[in-house]
């Protein structure tokens, strides 16, 4: 693509050269910052005033986002911060550094902000251009450096105000934003198609797991009332048990927590697993954080081994679980997780149980908290589930794994496509908002 005729040193190391007629300005010179708050999960209702929580941004993050999925009463809205069309919304916290600082332009008519959302309001520049710039790689790298926290990672407005951005004249901002809207919308459509395929495949897998784990493999078996409303009928020879009767749970004890000073480079410590290492009931080790060996040895009860089961008790992905396998290195857990060990049942069967709607129903009624949802260990261990004989557990596991193998392969293929599309989108945004290529 075409480049600009002349470039100059931006004076900012991570920006490099920019077109000679562009400026470099700190974000605090553009407008006002505010922070959302005052709305928790308990305030949400089926209808009423539209509300945006921080999770709506970082899980559904898209430059065109304007669909509101939450609602609050008028009385709660009166005490909350309103956002207006053209406001830029940024996530102030998340489970990983990838989650923080993600940015959208609000394009709706009315909404109120809850959770940890940073609001940036300005009137003299193109909001869409600024949002693209804030989603560029150099802005992400800045947020990574400035983020803080162990259980939940935070970026604060005062830190963001110091971020330098390359700023072309307003007319160029308009053209660049329009160009990126067109190009990235096509990529977003392709991503959405792949994600829809993943959702359908996961739905199919969920049905297989639910039916096998709660009803067994014999369609003609005689059923009986389980005595639990959300479980319903179960095969006659089955029991109902609590998690605490089939395993033990361990978490990171508060006084043995850790800070960023305990984190080390790869090769200098163990992996500290987080919810980001868990996807669709399976472990992922592409992006890992490492903890010093000293902190690893300090808590032997949460040393992680193949065959353990991890469960998210704190954060936006509460209730997510994964069976640990293929560990590449010694590992422990961060404070968001519990680990289940010392099983008196088939651990692979229990891993499937934790993925059923039976457990998810109990998760939803036991979670508390607004910005940082959490579930107590005691409540988790009291979750109930259908319990077949040992032979049936083994047969159910084999059946599910056989049925899930081609589905998992298809899901991974779609995830690879999404990753490539997201990488392509990021490169285009980076090159255009920094003036490396000319589109006007």
């Amino acid at each position: 693509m075409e480049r600009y005729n002349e470039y100059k040193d931006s004076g900012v190391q991570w920006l490099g050269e920019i077109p000679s007629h562009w400026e470099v300005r700190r974000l605090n010179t553009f407008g006002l910052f505010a922070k959302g708050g005052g709305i928790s999960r308990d305030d949400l209702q089926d209808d009423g005033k539209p509300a945006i929580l921080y999770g709506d941004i970082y899980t559904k993050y898209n430059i065109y986002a304007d669909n509101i999925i939450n609602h609050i009463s008028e009385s709660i809205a009166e005490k909350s911060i309103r956002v207006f069309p053209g406001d830029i919304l940024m996530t102030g916290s998340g489970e990983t550094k990838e989650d923080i600082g993600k940015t959208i332009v609000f394009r709706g008519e009315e909404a109120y902000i809850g959770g940890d959302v940073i609001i940036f309001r300005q009137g003299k520049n193109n909001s869409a251009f600024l949002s693209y710039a804030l989603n560029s790689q150099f802005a992400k790298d800045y947020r990574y450096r400035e983020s803080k926290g162990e259980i939940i990672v935070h970026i604060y407005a005062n830190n963001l105000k110091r971020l330098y951005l390359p700023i072309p004249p307003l007319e160029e901002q308009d053209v660049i934003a329009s160009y990126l809207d067109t190009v990235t919308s096509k990529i977003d459509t392709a991503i959405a198609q792949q994600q829809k395929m993943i959702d359908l495949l996961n739905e199919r897998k969920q049905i297989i797991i639910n039916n096998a784990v709660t009803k067994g493999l014999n369609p003609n078996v005689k059923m009986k009332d389980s005595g639990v409303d959300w479980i319903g009928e179960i095969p006659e020879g089955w029991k109902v048990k609590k998690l605490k009767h089939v395993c033990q749970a361990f978490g990171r004890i508060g006084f043995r927590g850790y800070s960023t000073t305990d984190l080390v480079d790869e090769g200098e410590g163990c992996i500290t697993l987080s919810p980001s290492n868990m996807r669709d009931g399976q472990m992922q080790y592409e992006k890992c954080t490492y903890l010093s060996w000293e902190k690893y040895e300090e808590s032997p009860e949460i040393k992680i081994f193949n065959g353990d089961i991890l469960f998210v008790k704190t954060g936006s992905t509460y209730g997510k679980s994964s069976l640990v396998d293929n560990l590449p290195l010694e590992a422990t857990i961060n404070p968001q997780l519990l680990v289940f060990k010392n099983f008196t049942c088939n651990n692979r069967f229990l891993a499937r149980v934790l993925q059923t709607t039976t457990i998810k129903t109990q998760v939803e009624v036991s979670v508390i908290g607004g910005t940082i949802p959490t579930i107590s260990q005691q409540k988790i261990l009291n979750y109930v589930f259908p319990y077949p004989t040992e032979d049936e557990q083994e047969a159910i596991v084999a059946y599910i794994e056989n049925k899930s193998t081609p589905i998992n392969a298809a899901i991974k293929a779609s995830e690879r496509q999404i990753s490539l599309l997201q990488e392509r989108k990021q490169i285009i945004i980076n090159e255009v908002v920094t003036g490396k290529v000319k589109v006007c």
Side-chain angles (χ1 to χ4, degrees):
M1 294 182 70
E2 186 180 357
R3 286 173 55 86
Y4 288 87
N5 292 329
E6 294 184 16
Y7 287 82
K8 65 181 179 182
D9 184 5
S10 67
V12 180
Q13 182 178 1
W14 57 86
L15 278 180
E17 289 189 333
I18 60 172
S20 58
H21 63 291
W22 287 25
E23 296 180 280
V24 175
R25 291 171 57 187
R26 290 174 79 169
L27 199 56
N28 66 339
T29 65
F30 291 106
L32 301 173
F33 280 85
K35 184 177 178 181
I39 304 174
S40 71
R41 288 171 46 85
D42 296 335
D43 296 320
L44 302 183
Q45 57 185 47
D46 293 336
D47 56 16
K49 294 290 186 179
I52 301 174
L53 300 183
Y54 77 102
D56 300 338
I57 296 177
Y58 83 72
T59 59
K60 300 178 184 301
Y61 142 66
N62 183 297
I63 204 73
Y64 307 101
D66 61 359
N67 56 316
I68 307 299
I69 61 172
N70 298 312
H71 295 87
I72 54 175
S73 67
E74 290 196 19
S75 61
I76 296 295
E78 289 174 358
K79 299 182 290 184
S80 304
I81 297 177
R82 181 176 175 179
V83 290
F84 297 90
D87 283 354
I88 297 173
L89 310 179
M90 293 169 274
T91 53
S93 65
E95 293 176 358
T96 70
K97 292 186 177 185
E98 290 284 343
D99 298 327
I100 58 170
K102 287 186 175 180
T103 305
I104 63 171
V105 176
F106 178 63
R107 300 177 188 268
E109 296 181 1
E110 177 185 23
Y112 297 84
I113 290 294
D116 199 353
V117 178
I118 298 170
I119 307 162
F120 177 54
R121 183 170 297 150
Q122 59 81 42
K124 296 183 179 180
N125 291 274
N126 186 299
S127 291
F129 171 82
L130 292 178
S131 185
Y132 279 119
L134 289 166
N135 282 318
S136 63
Q137 189 60 52
F138 72 84
K140 288 183 180 180
D141 292 341
Y142 175 85
R143 297 196 303 266
Y144 291 174
R145 292 192 296 271
E146 296 296 324
S147 61
K148 309 290 182 185
E150 295 102 44
I151 297 179
I152 299 294
V153 182
H154 296 271
I155 183 75
Y156 298 103
N158 284 339
N159 299 78
L160 284 169
K161 289 177 182 179
R162 297 195 296 268
L163 171 63
Y164 285 97
L165 293 179
I167 304 296
L170 181 59
E171 296 79 9
E172 281 188 61
Q173 292 180 35
D174 295 340
V175 174
I176 289 171
S178 178
Y179 171 82
L180 288 175
D181 281 351
T182 300
V183 173
T184 60
S185 67
K186 295 177 181 177
I187 298 176
D188 289 336
T189 298
I191 290 174
Q193 290 171 343
Q194 292 294 330
Q195 186 59 55
K196 184 177 181 180
M197 177 62 69
I198 290 173
D199 292 343
L200 290 171
L201 290 166
N202 274 324
E203 184 178 338
R204 186 188 307 172
K205 186 167 70 170
Q206 188 67 57
I207 292 171
I208 292 170
I209 294 171
N210 278 334
N211 289 340
V213 170
T214 61
K215 304 299 179 185
L217 304 180
N218 180 2
N220 300 315
V221 69
K222 187 175 180 180
M223 308 293 284
K224 68 178 181 181
D225 184 7
S226 67
V228 180
D229 290 342
W230 56 83
I231 293 179
E233 291 190 329
I234 59 175
E236 190 174 43
W238 291 24
K239 301 176 183 178
V240 172
K241 288 199 175 187
K242 295 183 177 181
L243 285 179
K244 65 183 179 182
H245 295 148
V246 299
C247 65
Q248 290 181 290
F250 302 91
R252 181 168 287 280
I253 300 172
F255 69 88
R256 292 182 187 169
Y258 58 83
S259 66
T260 52
T261 58
D262 297 307
L263 300 179
V264 297
D265 293 330
E266 184 177 0
E268 297 179 0
C270 70
I271 297 172
T272 177
L273 296 167
S274 75
S276 63
N277 295 111
M278 304 158 63
R279 188 188 309 156
D280 298 327
Q282 297 179 310
M283 300 301 299
Q284 307 286 334
Y285 305 108
E286 291 89 350
K287 296 180 180 179
C288 290
T289 301
Y290 299 88
L291 190 66
S292 69
W293 290 118
E294 180 182 359
K295 296 300 291 185
Y296 172 73
E297 295 294 347
E298 184 181 55
S299 300
E301 74 280 2
I302 55 172
K303 291 182 178 180
I304 304 303
F305 302 97
N306 289 328
D308 291 344
I309 299 174
L310 303 184
F311 187 92
V312 181
K313 67 179 181 65
T314 301
S316 63
T317 57
Y318 61 86
K320 183 165 68 170
S321 62
S322 291
L323 178 73
V324 178
D325 63 356
N326 301 316
L327 268 176
L329 185 68
E330 290 92 336
T332 184
I333 53 175
N334 82 355
Q336 292 175 266
L337 302 181
L338 285 181
V339 56
F340 296 132
K341 295 174 174 284
N342 304 328
F343 305 99
T344 59
C345 68
N346 187 307
N347 63 327
R348 304 186 78 85
F349 172 78
L350 186 61
R352 296 303 188 180
V353 166
L354 292 170
Q355 296 167 16
T356 62
T357 54
T358 296
I359 295 297
K360 291 177 181 178
T361 298
Q362 296 171 82
V363 164
E364 290 303 323
V365 299
S366 59
V367 65
I368 60 172
T371 301
I372 306 177
T374 190
I375 315 171
S376 72
Q377 182 171 323
Q378 181 181 9
K379 288 181 178 178
I380 293 168
L381 285 173
N382 279 309
Y383 290 165
V384 296
F385 65 97
Y387 188 81
T389 65
E390 291 184 11
D391 288 344
E392 286 178 290
Q393 291 176 32
E394 188 173 341
I396 288 169
V397 168
Y399 171 83
I400 292 174
E401 291 182 352
N402 180 57
K403 291 289 186 181
S404 298
T405 296
I407 297 176
N408 289 335
I411 289 172
K412 286 186 177 180
S414 287
E415 287 175 342
R416 284 193 294 270
Q417 286 299 313
I418 288 177
S419 180
L420 291 171
L421 288 164
Q422 289 173 331
E423 183 179 345
R424 179 185 172 194
K425 177 180 174 180
Q426 188 70 73
I427 290 171
I428 293 171
I429 292 174
N430 294 343
E431 292 185 338
V432 174
V433 300
T434 57
K436 300 298 185 290
V437 297
K438 182 180 180 180
V439 297
C440 53

